[in-house]
Amino acid sequence: MAEPQIRVARPDDVPALVRLVHELAAYEKAPEQCRLTEEQLRERLFGESPAVFAHVAEVGGEVVGTAIWFLNFSTWDGVHGIYLEDLYVTPEHRGAGLGGALLATLAQVCVERGYSRLVWQVLDWNAPSIAFYESLGAVHQREWFTYRLSGDPLQRLGTSS
């Protein structure tokens, strides 16, 4: 196997990134919910005001994994952090350390830039990922619940006066 490389995503990686996001949605048993297009991701990553960032894991010139993230802000710490939206490595490349290398790269970004945290979510049934994250020292924030407002409820609230 060729030596893996972790690097910042480039515009020519967008088709592979979109493919990986759709693979992740299928893995998470929700492929019908993923509507991401190349145009959308290209604009968010490389447009006039990028607000999303990505790193890729590349093996033999092929993008086989990704970490897609954006900045958050801790009012308590007074500094930014990273929210990891997607971490995904193709099944045939799992177990080779690519997920850990992607997370280590994001941790390095946090340390270099003075960010106070790296945060992500994992589905409660995803035992292999949970075990992996905990092996790195990540802590499950059991006292916090995630809420999401989307679809019709978001529209109703966003258009009420």
Side-chain angles (χ1 to χ4, degrees):
M1 183 198 284
E3 187 68 27
Q5 177 186 9
I6 305 299
R7 61 172 173 76
V8 173
R10 301 181 302 239
D12 62 327
D13 294 322
V14 169
L17 291 169
V18 170
R19 175 182 49 80
L20 292 172
V21 170
H22 281 270
E23 284 183 26
L24 174 60
Y27 175 77
E28 292 183 347
K29 304 173 185 168
E32 70 286 348
Q33 294 178 32
C34 186
R35 296 179 293 277
L36 181 67
T37 67
E38 289 181 22
E39 295 75 25
Q40 288 172 320
L41 190 57
R42 185 173 286 107
E43 177 62 27
R44 297 326 179 270
L45 286 170
F46 304 107
E48 196 171 307
S49 299
V52 177
F53 308 93
H55 285 76
V56 298
E58 188 178 62
V59 175
E62 178 188 4
V63 174
V64 299
T66 187
I68 300 175
W69 56 279
F70 54 88
L71 294 179
N72 59 23
F73 184 78
S74 169
T75 56
W76 290 18
D77 294 336
V79 297
H80 284 292
I82 287 178
Y83 183 85
L84 176 59
E85 179 66 21
D86 289 331
L87 177 67
Y88 183 75
V89 175
T90 59
E92 59 273 12
H93 289 92
R94 292 183 190 149
L98 297 176
L102 285 161
L103 284 170
T105 299
L106 296 187
Q108 182 179 8
V109 170
C110 287
V111 170
E112 289 173 353
R113 298 181 186 178
Y115 299 164
S116 64
R117 56 178 73 160
L118 172 57
V119 179
W120 64 93
Q121 295 179 322
V122 61
L123 291 165
D124 61 359
W125 56 260
N126 193 344
S129 293
I130 292 168
F132 168 62
Y133 299 145
E134 290 179 355
S135 77
L136 297 174
V139 178
H140 179 201
Q141 301 290 292
R142 298 185 199 295
E143 68 274 15
W144 293 93
F145 290 96
T146 300
Y147 284 85
R148 178 180 295 167
L149 190 60
S150 62
D152 290 339
L154 176 66
Q155 292 298 315
R156 279 193 301 279
L157 184 60
T159 58
S160 65
S161 299

